[in-house]
């Protein structure tokens, strides 16, 4: 049987476990004797032959990066988001016009070489306002998502992993927050502040937006914590910290990433809604939401005023969702 | 392989009851599932004890109790004379170095997001004293080689391996800390028949090499006979018969053991015609409300008045001869050669 020996344990995908011993094919009561069955001789695995170029040792993150670099979704969303981020932090690179310079004489102009997207009712340049508006939206989106992932993730993970009365208390608290509509809560929260800034909006949305993440994390952790590999880690003597961080969270995080990226979009949209309602960012701040709001008054005469900020908003939200999708796939070795 | 040496593991009156509660806010206990109800056995160095029984009889709970993954309701698990069923913290960590486990399903017992290096190396991360600094990677490669896998594959993920190879990884993880006892909870029942034999033989090879003691839990009687020195048969949370492999398989005295053995497939069609099959009627009673006296009496063809009143103890019964002389929990223990009855 030496050929069989060599065949075994080459590449995982190869047919290394063909039934190559006759004695067990007729179901005998007792396992066939050692000779007929197998193969525990030295050098049972194949010499390192089947290892092609793709067999180089690689870390988990390098592996994820390699996977990402092959995903068109990642490139499309990555390029757009990079552009938007540059826009958010260096708006001066894209336009030399001042978005706050609004000569009323230029009111409601059509697109021209001087004003690419035209001007709004006050006579401000829409192109530069759209560029400058990226900052507020992107900060609100990213910062709020960071907060809800942290807050909701911690609450959900603790609730799911420890269970018992901790779970009951946290679940009820989550339910209470769930009962309050996000927009209403944010309205009330915002109206309590005289001085509003981007960070007030972030705080308002973060404080009332974490419950969905908490619930998803809780369910996900409950599923994962009973898995055999968690029991195996316990049997090895791993502490709670290690089990949570190394075994439970990495396997429970995927749905959270997806929901978080989708919520990122909705937070940007909610910020726009708040600004639209006039309770979000102050008028001195430029944001897509406020611009969409002011554009509605002229929607029949000049729909382009509404179109440009809305387009940027939609593209941003879509890019974040695409990126989240690609990252989730790359982080999951099972999908490779 | 059995020696008369001091037992390495002694299990005394092990009991695990899972409480049944009612109510959401103010829970009150309305009963208990008696998953394990007074189990006694011993394990000596280098020995394999097979633990068989049908699903739900408490085999896996025994494994969890031995591993301290569940706390025993009562009873003791003595490792080299020291009760380990109540230790915690540091003492428990050192116990874990000596008693390890191989799991049933190699598809769920390996973390899909960790590489083989991380999985087999985790014991060293948890017990840094087990491997000198910097030698962990080398040890992992040695272990892979030991279980018949290519040591170059340490950066692969579990899903890149087949079932049999994964179980080898699980075994390598169990071996990493050089334990003396390995609890195998149905280690091959999730594998193809052909691969089962490979894994079993690997386990036997490792046992010979390292003097390991196995508690081998399975419901496949053939495999248990192949690997075990002694066999314990469990029914509804209790051991009903325990003895050497020959004693149990060739000279069973408990009716439940006889019924189990009569269900083993016989390869020879001619012999199959002549053998007697014992078909048990009824279902396994609920472990929350086991029958009085002998737990098997509700399905036993020998049951009489005494079986309902007096619980038969697991002891050597009088009136038996030769290999039939071994502990059996039946008032009417009587040898009946099932396997060769033709």
């Amino acid at each position: 049987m030496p050929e069989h020996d060599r065949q075994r344990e080459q590449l995982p995908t190869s047919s290394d476990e063909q039934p190559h011993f006759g004695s067990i094919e007729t179901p005998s009561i007792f396992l066939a004797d050692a000779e007929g069955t197998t193969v525990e001789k030295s050098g049972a695995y194949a010499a390192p032959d089947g290892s092609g170029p793709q067999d180089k040792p690689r870390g988990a993150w390098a592996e994820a990066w390699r996977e990402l670099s092959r995903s068109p979704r990642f490139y499309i969303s990555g390029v757009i988001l990079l552009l938007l981020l540059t826009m958010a932090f260096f708006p001066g690179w894209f336009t030399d016009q001042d978005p706050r310079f609004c000569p009323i004489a230029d009111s409601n102009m059509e697109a021209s070489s001087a004003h690419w997207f035209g001007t709004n009712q006050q006579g401000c340049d829409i192109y530069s306002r759209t560029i400058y508006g990226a900052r507020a939206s992107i900060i609100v989106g990213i910062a709020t998502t960071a907060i809800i992932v942290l807050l909701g993730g911690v609450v959900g993970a603790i609730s799911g992993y420890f269970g018992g009365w901790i779970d009951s208390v946290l679940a009820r608290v989550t339910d209470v927050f769930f009962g309050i509509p996000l927009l209403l809560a944010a309205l009330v929260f915002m109206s309590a502040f005289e001085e509003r800034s981007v960070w007030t909006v972030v705080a308002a949305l973060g404080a009332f937006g974490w419950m969905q993440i908490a619930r998803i994390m809780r369910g996900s952790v409950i599923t994962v914590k009973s898995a055999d590999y968690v029991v195996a880690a316990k049997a090895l003597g791993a502490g709670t910290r290690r089990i949570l961080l190394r075994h439970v969270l990495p396997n429970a995080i995927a749905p959270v990433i997806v929901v978080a990226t989708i919520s990122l979009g909705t937070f940007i949209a909610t910020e726009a809604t708040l600004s639209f309602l006039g309770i979000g960012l102050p008028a001195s701040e430029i944001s897509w939401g406020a611009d969409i709001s002011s554009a509605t008054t002229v929607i029949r005469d000049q729909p382009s005023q509404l179109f440009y900020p809305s387009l940027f908003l939609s593209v941003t939200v879509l890019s974040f969702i695409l990126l989240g999708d690609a990252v989730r796939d790359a982080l999951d070795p099972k999908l490779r | 392989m059995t020696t008369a040496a001091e037992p390495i593991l002694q299990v005394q009156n092990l009991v695990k009851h899972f409480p049944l509660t009612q109510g959401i806010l103010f829970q009150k206990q309305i009963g208990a599932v008696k998953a394990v109800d007074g189990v006694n056995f011993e394990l000596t160095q280098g020995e394999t004890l097979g633990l068989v029984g049908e699903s739900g009889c408490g085999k896996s709970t025994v494994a969890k109790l031995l591993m301290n993954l569940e706390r025993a309701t009562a009873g003791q698990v003595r490792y080299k004379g020291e009760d380990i069923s109540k230790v915690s913290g540091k003492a428990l960590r050192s116990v874990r170095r000596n008693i390890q486990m191989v799991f049933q399903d190699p598809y769920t017992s390996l973390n899909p997001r960790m590489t083989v290096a991380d999985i087999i190396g985790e014991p060293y991360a948890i017990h840094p004293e087990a491997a000198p600094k910097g030698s962990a990677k080398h040890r992992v490669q040695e272990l892979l080689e030991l279980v018949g896998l290519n040591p170059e594959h340490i950066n692969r993920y579990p899903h890149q391996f087949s079932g049999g190879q994964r179980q080898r990884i699980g075994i390598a993880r169990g071996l990493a800390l050089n334990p003396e006892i390995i609890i195998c909870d149905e280690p091959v029942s999730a594998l193809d028949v052909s691969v089962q034999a490979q894994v079993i033989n690997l386990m036997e090879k490792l046992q010979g090499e390292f003097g390991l003691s196995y508690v081998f839990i399975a419901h496949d009687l053939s495999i248990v006979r192949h690997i075990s020195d002694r066999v314990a048969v469990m029914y509804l949370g209790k051991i009903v018969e325990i003895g050497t492999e020959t004693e149990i398989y060739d000279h069973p005295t408990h009716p439940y053991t006889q019924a189990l053995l009569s269900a083993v497939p016989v390869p020879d069609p001619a012999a199959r015609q002549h053998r007697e099959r014992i078909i048990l009627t009824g279902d396994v009673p609920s472990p929350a409300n086991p029958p009085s006296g002998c737990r098997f009496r509700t399905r036993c063809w020998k049951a009489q008045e005494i079986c309902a009143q007096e619980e038969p103890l697991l002891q050597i019964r009088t009136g038996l001869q030769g290999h039939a002389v071994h502990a059996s929990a039946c008032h009417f223990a009587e040898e009946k050669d099932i396997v060769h009855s033709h």
Side-chain angles (χ1 to χ4, degrees):
Chain A
M1 299 227 154
E3 306 92 89
H4 293 316
D5 292 4
R6 222 161 293 128
Q7 272 180 348
R8 277 188 49 249
E9 313 295 357
Q10 284 186 345
L11 274 175
T13 44
S14 70
S15 56
D16 54 335
E17 270 152 7
Q18 47 197 318
H20 52 61
F21 41 109
S23 40
I24 200 125
E25 276 166 12
T26 51
S28 63
I29 299 185
F30 305 120
L31 267 190
D33 56 14
E35 195 201 64
T37 48
T38 181
V39 240
E40 302 310 333
K41 292 158 197 161
S42 60
Y45 62 87
D49 49 54
S51 42
Q54 79 269 58
D55 209 35
K56 266 195 317 237
R58 221 182 277 107
W61 289 106
E63 190 81 34
W65 175 250
R66 199 173 67 103
E67 192 62 29
L68 269 184
S69 67
R70 285 191 304 207
S71 154
R73 279 174 307 180
F74 173 70
Y75 282 116
I76 296 170
S77 61
V79 166
I80 295 175
L81 288 177
L82 213 61
L83 201 67
L84 283 163
L85 280 175
T86 329
M87 219 180 259
F89 290 102
F90 308 103
W93 292 5
F94 294 84
T95 173
D96 46 12
Q97 299 210 34
D98 184 354
R100 291 186 181 84
F101 176 69
C102 307
I104 196 72
D106 294 350
S107 177
N108 288 339
M109 278 167 62
E110 288 295 324
S112 66
S113 59
H115 303 289
W116 293 356
F117 294 170
T119 59
N120 66 12
Q121 210 164 11
Q122 269 86 44
C124 316
D125 179 51
I126 293 178
Y127 174 67
S128 68
R129 283 191 74 86
T130 310
I131 298 290
Y132 277 82
R135 180 182 291 178
S137 296
I138 284 176
I139 289 179
V140 166
I142 292 178
T144 312
T145 307
I147 289 179
I148 62 151
V149 167
L150 219 66
L151 195 64
V154 168
V155 169
I158 290 175
S159 175
Y161 187 76
F162 294 102
W165 66 268
I166 299 177
D167 183 27
S168 307
V169 170
L170 289 178
R172 294 296 87 75
V173 171
T174 310
D175 285 348
V176 167
F177 274 88
F178 239 129
I180 312 167
L182 175 63
L183 197 58
L184 181 64
L187 272 174
V188 173
F189 188 94
M190 295 296 292
S191 60
F193 289 88
E194 292 286 319
E195 297 273 308
R196 295 194 288 267
S197 71
V198 172
W199 301 108
T200 337
V201 179
V202 168
L205 295 181
F208 296 97
W210 53 271
M211 297 79 65
Q212 196 187 3
I213 295 283
R215 277 207 178 157
I216 286 166
M217 187 60 132
R218 175 179 175 272
S220 189
V221 164
I222 287 175
T223 319
V224 170
K225 78 168 178 182
S226 57
D228 273 355
Y229 51 83
V230 175
V231 180
K234 278 185 196 156
L236 283 169
T240 307
R241 223 176 85 105
R242 183 181 192 85
I243 290 173
L244 261 175
L245 294 182
R246 297 269 293 164
H247 296 278
V248 175
L249 285 186
N251 286 290
I253 202 83
V256 171
I257 289 179
V258 179
V259 173
T261 45
I262 294 169
S263 335
L264 198 154
T266 59
F267 288 132
I268 292 178
T270 311
E271 181 273 320
T273 314
L274 285 174
S275 299
F276 175 87
L277 293 172
I279 194 115
L281 297 173
S284 59
E285 295 258 2
I286 301 163
S287 87
W288 292 333
D291 281 6
I292 292 170
S293 167
S294 57
T296 50
T297 54
V298 291
I299 188 164
R300 290 210 284 186
D301 304 321
Q302 212 182 1
S304 65
Q305 283 190 28
L306 181 71
F307 175 73
Y308 291 111
S310 308
L311 176 75
F312 273 61
L313 181 67
S314 312
V315 168
T316 311
V317 171
L318 179 71
S319 305
F320 274 114
I321 292 175
L322 275 182
L323 181 72
D325 222 27
V327 168
R328 180 206 51 183
D329 288 359
L331 284 179
D332 191 347
K334 276 179 292 188
L335 291 177
R336 277 184 208 141
Chain B
M1 261 191 272
T2 316
T3 54
E6 170 83 351
I8 192 167
L9 193 74
Q10 284 172 288
V11 175
Q12 289 167 349
N13 263 322
L14 198 60
V15 176
K16 178 67 190 179
H17 291 181
F18 293 101
L20 290 171
T21 54
Q22 205 171 43
I24 298 161
L25 207 52
F26 302 100
Q27 299 193 329
K28 67 170 194 252
Q29 191 174 336
I30 53 164
V33 173
K34 296 170 178 125
V36 175
D37 208 10
V39 162
N40 295 283
F41 63 82
E42 289 182 349
L43 184 71
T44 49
Q45 173 93 45
E47 183 191 40
T48 302
L49 175 74
L51 201 54
V52 294
E54 60 201 304
S55 303
C57 72
K59 304 183 300 266
S60 291
T61 310
V62 169
K64 289 201 172 115
L65 290 171
L66 296 181
M67 287 306 298
N68 247 311
L69 291 169
E70 296 273 5
R71 288 278 168 181
T73 311
Q76 292 188 326
V77 178
R78 290 174 171 277
Y79 168 71
K80 292 189 170 166
E82 184 200 351
D83 184 10
I84 57 166
S85 64
K86 287 160 195 80
V87 296
S88 58
K90 241 187 169 143
L92 182 58
R93 272 165 61 93
S94 74
V95 168
R96 297 216 186 282
R97 284 196 58 180
N98 293 309
I99 308 181
Q100 269 305 314
M101 188 162 184
V102 173
F103 289 82
Q104 173 176 12
D105 187 351
Y107 290 88
T108 61
S109 67
L110 306 176
N111 187 338
R113 278 168 199 275
M114 283 165 78
T115 60
V116 171
D118 289 335
I119 290 169
I120 304 178
E122 185 164 45
Y124 301 121
I126 297 167
H127 302 268
E129 70 281 4
K133 221 172 164 39
S135 71
K137 187 186 169 189
H138 185 66
R139 281 283 292 145
V140 169
Q141 288 182 317
E142 278 177 9
L143 283 163
L144 277 175
E145 188 147 13
L146 190 68
V147 297
L149 292 173
N150 188 336
E152 307 222 329
H153 292 169
I154 61 168
N155 283 309
R156 294 196 170 188
Y157 287 90
H159 69 96
Q160 293 170 303
F161 293 91
S162 66
Q165 289 174 320
R166 287 176 186 219
Q167 196 57 298
R168 287 167 190 262
I169 296 170
I171 292 171
R173 172 177 62 190
L175 283 175
L177 296 171
N178 274 326
E180 294 181 77
I181 302 170
I182 295 192
I183 317 286
C184 314
D185 188 1
E186 310 213 15
V188 294
S189 56
L191 304 175
D192 285 350
V193 181
S194 59
V195 185
Q196 286 186 353
Q198 293 175 2
V199 171
I200 290 289
N201 287 347
L202 169 67
M203 293 180 67
E204 289 191 318
K205 180 195 100 168
L206 295 170
Q207 180 169 44
E209 227 164 282
F210 300 104
L212 297 169
S213 308
Y214 289 139
V215 173
F216 193 97
I217 295 168
H219 53 238
D220 185 325
L221 294 166
S222 321
I223 287 173
V224 169
R225 175 163 208 184
H226 181 77
I227 196 168
S228 301
D229 302 309
R230 285 191 307 133
V231 178
V233 182
M234 272 188 88
Y235 184 77
L236 220 59
K238 280 183 184 296
I239 291 180
V240 295
E241 188 168 4
I242 186 166
T244 65
E245 168 249 315
T246 322
E247 286 168 354
I248 298 292
Y249 281 84
D250 295 338
H251 309 276
T253 62
H254 195 283
Y256 179 62
T257 315
Q258 292 160 359
L260 274 188
L261 288 173
S262 84
V264 171
V266 174
D268 179 3
R272 206 181 298 149
Q273 308 247 313
H274 295 105
R275 87 135 161 205
E276 180 194 352
R277 284 219 51 197
I278 303 168
I279 300 192
L280 294 179
T281 52
D283 290 327
V284 184
S286 161
N289 184 22
S292 66
C294 174
R295 295 190 166 194
F296 185 58
R297 72 177 162 84
T298 51
R299 300 166 78 191
C300 183
W301 63 96
K302 287 181 176 175
Q304 291 181 22
E305 198 54 37
I306 184 174
C307 299
Q309 283 155 7
E310 198 181 315
E311 186 176 329
L313 298 174
L314 182 63
Q315 61 190 26
I316 294 170
R317 303 278 157 182
T318 51
L320 297 169
Q321 289 166 15
H323 281 299
V325 183
H326 59 266
S328 172
C330 177
H331 292 300
F332 306 103
E334 188 184 12
E335 182 178 344
K336 183 168 188 169
D337 188 349
I338 295 294
V339 178
H340 303 288
S341 63
H342 45 73

